Amino acid sequence: MSRSGRDGRGPAVGSPAPRRSSRLACALFGGLLLAFAGKGPAESGPQAPHPVPRPFGVSPSVTTRSGVVVSATAEASRAGAELLDAGGNAVDAAVATALALAVTYPQAGNLAGGGFLVARSRDGSLFALDFRETAPAAAGRTTFAAPGADSLTGGLAVAVPATVRGLEEAHRRLGRLPWARCAAPAIRLARDGFVVPGGLAQEIVAERKRLLRFPGSRRLFFPGGKPLAAGERLVQPDLARTLEAVARKGSDALHRGPIAQAIVDDVRRTGGILTLLDLASYRPLWRAPAEATFRGLDVVTMPLPSSGGFLVTSILAQLAVAGGAGEPDLDTPEGVHLFVEAARRAYADRNEWLGDPDCVAVPLARLLAPARLAALGASIDRARATPSASLPSVEARAEREETTHLVVATPDGEAVSLTTTLNGVFGNASVVPGAGFLLNDEMDDFATRPGVPNLFGLVQGEANAVRPGARPLSSMTPALVLDRRGKLRLVVGSPGGSTIPTTVLQVILRAAAFDQPLPDAVAAARFHHQHLPDQVSVERGAVPPAFEAALRALGHAVQERESIGRVHAIEVLPDGRLVGAADPRGYGAPAAARAASAPRSAP
Ligand code: DON
């Protein structure tokens, strides 16, 4: 793994995220690595040679002695920082950020989706909150059997919304400032508006067909019949009223009463089966965090119904057996080979065996038995890809993405890692008329039809079949990394559907196991394998042709895709400063709390 000095930090907060640069075409990796000027065009200052190629440009980052928040929009990150400035803790800031994302990042930020939160309190206690949506009580194996039954768009796609219940529960147990204070920035952003960024405008156009089908979405995203353009101010009075109700009454504002009725009406009108009782009965669940160790690091993440903790545990255990010191070196084809072979084996288990542990018996102890994982690791051939067909499992296809991850950390060791989603971009595409928010299409995360791949190309087993009240298996992997003394080292997560666990793990390996500066670890090229389809996904233009050719020579099919994941992460430096880094693949940004910011560091 290429390392560089720990003082080589990214640009100060507020730096624009430079887009992919054509310079990349000539970037060489690993053994072929040449000094690479990795700075984006928008930065000023001397261009330092850099050993880690950054295909999408430089990660906007901040280094600070105060608290820090990183999320998918600058406004939402500032909303969190505002709570820290007001004396709030990491959970207060995370709640404010998540609610502000529901306003400023409608592609994935949400009130009517779900998510997972992993947190550490200042006394070192660890928490995992499951606010995953559930299948409506009337759902079952035949829900998607009829031709045309749609698990991505419209009413049938909607699982029971869970986000506000989850945020409320996290705040009830771990928050410090009043709930209404946490909602205040989001209300302000909805009422006063925010400037539509290019990324949102592009996604509205890309999804116009789906969005235009629903009156609420037409009204919000196509005012006067035209798609919202970059630079326009988006004011959302309906959403502001909904958020005001949430601030006053908590999650019951959404789960009971007139807004609940509006959700049910919209779902029913568009072919769904959600009921008022489903909404009223939804409960988030505290779970024991999943923990995996690797070279003295403790990786704390989400247990079932996320597959994230399982995959991280399995891949790391295999790598511990199959890799030598300093491996896997993700800057070399050989290192990527090792990593994806471990991923291939872990995902084969995921797709076959995992589901909601409260509804099906998952043989976790057997799957994660150290001897079994060691045997899986030992079965990796360092010189040759193992065809997925020779491992037990099924078939699959291609993917798309949209979810969002936020991170908060404070100098006293508090941390929140929170991934939230509507599932596909803009969820089920229907904005609830009068209430101003989109609904999820999380039903697609179930194995909705035997043998048919879902949005992320995953073909999953009986364990993840649609069952009334069940939580669909997820890939969301909010993570914390602790060092061998239990001190917080890294807070990290990503969207990206099935690619989330491998994305998060690559950043953990780079930043925590191999000491790359966090902004580099976030910006570096990423790879993915999920057993089926039997291919290594590689970001287009991110590695030179020779790198892909080397993977092919090892027996891999290489599939290029636009990008993989959008990581937001915070690292704790040995001197106690915090580095917040946003992924240059998106337009997210870090925000530091006001107190005691360190001088901006040179990249
Ligand atoms: O829970 C899951 O695994 C998916 N619903 C996550 C969706 C996602 O990450 C979409 N995009 N980036």
Side-chain angles (χ1 to χ4, degrees):
M1 178 81 60
S2 306
R3 299 171 198 211
S4 59
R6 298 194 61 80
D7 50 355
R9 295 290 156 192
V13 67
S15 298
R19 295 287 148 197
R20 179 196 305 249
S21 150
S22 57
R23 284 172 296 123
L24 249 205
C26 38
L28 292 175
F29 276 64
L32 305 171
L33 203 69
L34 296 179
F36 177 73
K39 288 187 60 161
E43 292 179 69
S44 56
Q47 302 259 319
H50 203 288
V52 178
R54 295 180 282 200
F56 294 86
V58 172
S59 158
S61 67
V62 63
T63 302
T64 176
R65 290 204 179 276
S66 64
V68 65
V69 182
V70 192
S71 80
T73 71
E75 292 87 352
S77 298
R78 279 201 297 271
E82 175 184 324
L83 265 286
L84 295 178
D85 286 337
N89 65 13
V91 169
D92 297 326
V95 169
T97 306
L99 292 174
L101 285 169
V103 179
T104 59
Y105 198 71
Q107 303 98 305
N110 66 83
L111 299 181
F116 299 128
L117 171 150
V118 173
R120 180 184 192 272
S121 56
R122 69 173 65 180
D123 68 1
S125 305
L126 299 170
F127 303 87
L129 181 64
D130 164 359
F131 54 104
R132 182 70 162 161
E133 303 94 319
T134 54
R141 280 155 205 271
T142 55
T143 303
F144 295 98
D150 194 341
S151 59
L152 289 171
T153 303
L156 211 52
V158 182
V160 183
T163 295
V164 184
R165 283 270 206 253
L167 297 178
E168 178 181 59
E169 175 60 18
H171 178 266
R172 183 197 66 74
R173 182 156 180 201
L174 300 171
R176 183 186 296 153
L177 295 181
W179 167 254
R181 178 69 189 86
C182 300
I187 295 171
R188 212 172 52 225
L189 284 161
R191 201 179 42 221
D192 301 346
F194 68 98
V195 176
V196 173
L200 173 56
Q202 280 162 21
E203 295 206 80
I204 290 171
V205 170
E207 293 295 314
R208 69 189 310 156
K209 252 187 149 149
R210 293 173 72 229
L211 294 169
L212 283 169
R213 281 177 52 185
F214 303 100
S217 306
R218 273 203 301 275
R219 205 168 136 231
L220 183 59
F221 297 119
F222 299 86
K226 287 215 289 288
L228 278 171
E232 275 185 67
R233 180 163 284 272
L234 175 56
V235 178
Q236 303 176 77
D238 290 348
L239 183 55
R241 268 194 306 280
T242 294
L243 285 163
E244 278 160 5
V246 165
R248 273 197 317 274
K249 301 188 209 159
S251 67
D252 273 355
L254 219 84
H255 286 258
R256 299 176 190 275
I259 298 175
Q261 187 64 57
I263 293 173
V264 168
D265 289 348
D266 191 57
V267 168
R268 295 261 159 177
R269 201 170 34 240
T270 56
I273 53 178
L274 189 75
T275 64
L276 285 173
L277 187 60
D278 288 326
L279 279 168
S281 345
Y282 182 81
R283 298 276 173 277
L285 297 169
W286 292 99
R287 299 192 182 269
E291 291 188 56
T293 51
F294 187 69
R295 309 229 164 101
L297 297 169
D298 186 11
V299 181
V300 181
T301 180
M302 201 61 209
L304 290 173
S306 168
S307 59
F310 174 91
L311 291 165
V312 165
T313 305
S314 173
I315 294 170
L316 287 177
Q318 293 179 61
L319 290 175
V321 171
E327 288 188 314
D329 182 342
L330 295 170
D331 293 327
T332 66
E334 295 74 21
V336 171
H337 169 71
L338 201 58
F339 181 81
V340 299
E341 285 299 315
R344 176 203 304 279
R345 287 158 174 76
Y347 274 82
D349 282 345
R350 175 211 191 272
N351 299 339
E352 184 72 23
W353 296 106
L354 305 191
D356 181 343
D358 299 327
C359 297
V360 290
V362 179
L364 268 191
R366 179 159 66 77
L367 294 170
L368 292 177
R372 179 170 182 275
L373 296 182
L376 276 185
S379 76
I380 295 174
D381 180 344
R382 300 191 61 124
R384 199 70 203 156
T386 308
S388 286
S390 72
L391 300 172
S393 210
V394 274
E395 307 279 307
R397 70 158 197 200
E399 61 293 292
R400 280 179 39 214
E401 43 187 270
E402 211 57 71
T403 288
T404 192
H405 186 78
L406 69 93
V407 285
V408 183
T410 65
D412 47 12
E414 292 178 353
V416 173
S417 191
L418 189 161
T419 314
T420 181
T421 189
L422 289 166
N423 193 31
V425 60
F426 299 113
N428 85 334
S430 182
V431 169
V432 178
F437 55 84
L438 283 155
L439 297 172
N440 69 77
D441 57 347
E442 219 68 59
M443 291 300 283
D444 191 68
D445 274 346
F446 283 113
T448 51
R449 293 185 189 88
V452 180
N454 77 356
L455 178 61
F456 304 103
L458 293 166
V459 178
Q460 306 167 91
E462 169 61 22
N464 191 31
V466 182
R467 294 177 175 84
R471 286 157 147 86
L473 186 62
S474 172
S475 301
M476 292 186 287
T477 311
L480 309 175
V481 179
L482 312 175
D483 68 15
R484 58 180 80 237
R485 286 162 312 162
K487 202 170 145 272
L488 185 67
R489 177 80 187 275
L490 195 64
V491 191
V492 58
S494 178
S498 56
T499 66
I500 294 172
T502 50
T503 293
V504 169
L505 201 42
Q506 285 169 79
V507 175
I508 289 175
L509 286 168
R510 286 180 180 278
F514 299 113
D515 287 336
Q516 283 180 3
L518 182 64
D520 292 340
V522 167
R526 293 200 274 260
F527 309 88
H528 175 69
H529 201 299
Q530 61 184 42
H531 181 234
L532 291 171
D534 190 347
Q535 64 191 26
V536 182
S537 301
V538 175
E539 296 175 302
R540 188 166 297 122
V543 295
F547 195 108
E548 290 191 8
L551 286 173
R552 285 198 189 91
L554 285 161
H556 294 284
V558 173
Q559 178 66 36
E560 293 192 339
R561 50 181 283 172
E562 209 39 55
S563 65
I564 299 177
R566 288 184 183 185
V567 169
H568 296 139
I570 300 170
E571 178 186 15
V572 184
L573 297 178
D575 67 4
R577 286 180 302 158
L578 303 176
V579 180
D583 200 320
R585 292 161 181 80
Y587 54 89
R594 256 197 318 266
S597 266
R600 291 175 173 190
S601 55

